Amino acid sequence: DRAKKITKSLINLFNKSGISFGVLGVEESCSGDPAKRAGNEFLFQMQALSNIEVLNSYQVKKIVTACPHCFNTIKNEYPELGGIYEVVHHSQLIDQLINDGKLKIKDDRFNGKKITFHDPCYLGRHNGEYDAPRKVLQSVLKEGSIKEMEQSKSESFCCGAGGGNMWYEIKAGERINQNRVKQAVSTDAKTVAAACNFCNIMLEDGVKTTGNENNINVLDIAEIVSKGLSD
């Protein structure tokens, strides 16, 4: 349900910018990333080949996703199975739309504020994209600033969901998402921006379980831009 709000914000940006786009609807299924990271290569290939068949039947050439896991999997692993597409993360597309003047930031609710950005592993360290989400945020912040966490960009700290960790409880040591939230709070920013649904869930859980609901909130970059759009 939380991810649906992010998707709605992204669709709002598409509509405001006049982009022509389509969705697969009930024909869309998981990219297969969780299965592959958990070690089930057979299930991954079943899911991937099924997706490729559907995508190719509609002659899809370009795919936009708000999920870095899907971004990485479809961009880097689908070609081996016959699925060759131009794959774009939503931060990259939003950055392009702002630069092209198709999205105009008018609302000043974030102007002059401080935001910290959490680098998703599969956008940053695995695919080298650090600039696009930061440029998007700076466009909204205007005179404000991005406060980098203790570990950021190529040295960024995982949210704790990758590799299948989303689906089981950590039994020993400290919870990764709680440590990451503590790093975010220490920047004195009131908002931590995410660019991944997995990260969003883990960070929000970390905010609640560390008692920081009044200190910082979590928003996806699409939500932040959507709130700042002119009509």
Side-chain angles (χ1 to χ4, degrees):
D1 286 342
R2 179 66 185 88
K4 291 175 185 176
K5 295 178 181 178
I6 297 171
T7 302
K8 288 179 179 178
S9 292
L10 183 58
I11 296 304
N12 179 49
L13 300 183
F14 285 178
N15 289 333
K16 289 289 180 67
S17 63
I19 284 182
S20 174
F21 66 95
V23 296
L24 292 176
V26 295
E27 292 183 273
E28 181 174 309
S29 65
C30 178
S31 67
D33 166 84
K36 187 174 183 70
R37 305 307 156 212
N40 195 333
E41 181 68 21
F42 177 71
L43 177 57
F44 161 70
Q45 292 201 18
M46 281 182 59
Q47 291 179 296
L49 289 170
S50 176
N51 288 332
I52 290 168
E53 182 178 359
V54 172
L55 290 165
N56 288 349
S57 71
Y58 289 108
Q59 300 181 323
V60 169
K61 304 297 182 187
K62 184 173 184 177
I63 298 172
V64 179
T65 175
C67 175
H69 294 254
C70 296
F71 173 74
N72 178 72
T73 299
I74 299 173
K75 178 176 181 285
N76 298 322
E77 293 167 346
Y78 273 34
E80 296 179 0
L81 300 172
I84 301 173
Y85 316 102
E86 178 186 357
V87 188
V88 179
H89 185 255
H90 75 320
S91 65
Q92 297 171 324
L93 180 60
I94 295 170
D95 180 42
Q96 179 187 330
L97 293 174
I98 292 174
N99 289 336
D100 292 345
K102 294 182 178 180
L103 291 176
K104 301 183 186 302
I105 309 300
K106 184 177 180 181
D107 192 300
D108 283 338
R109 73 183 68 190
F110 291 105
N111 185 19
K113 300 295 174 64
K114 293 186 292 187
I115 286 181
T116 188
F117 177 67
H118 168 77
D119 288 280
C121 294
Y122 281 102
L123 182 64
R125 287 183 291 136
H126 285 275
N127 286 285
E129 181 58 84
Y130 304 106
D131 295 336
R134 286 174 170 81
K135 288 192 288 184
V136 168
L137 290 174
Q138 196 60 61
S139 296
V140 179
L141 289 172
K142 299 178 183 177
E143 298 173 4
S145 60
I146 299 171
K147 307 298 290 185
E148 297 290 357
M149 282 184 252
E150 176 186 343
Q151 293 172 277
S152 63
K153 299 185 177 179
S154 62
E155 302 297 325
S156 187
F157 199 63
C158 177
C159 73
N165 288 307
M166 172 72 78
W167 292 279
Y168 67 85
E169 289 292 328
I170 295 174
K171 302 295 185 183
E174 294 182 287
R175 294 180 64 179
I176 297 171
N177 61 331
Q178 292 179 343
N179 283 337
R180 189 56 166 167
V181 165
K182 290 175 184 176
Q183 289 186 11
V185 171
S186 69
T187 66
D188 291 327
K190 295 302 180 184
T191 300
V192 53
C196 169
N197 291 334
F198 287 103
C199 294
N200 198 293
I201 291 170
M202 297 300 286
L203 291 170
E204 287 192 340
D205 177 77
V207 167
K208 294 174 183 176
T209 56
T210 57
N212 280 297
E213 294 98 324
N214 296 325
N215 298 322
I216 199 165
N217 68 310
V218 185
L219 289 172
D220 186 87
I221 59 169
E223 294 177 303
I224 291 172
V225 175
S226 185
K227 291 176 184 293
L229 279 186
S230 58
D231 293 328

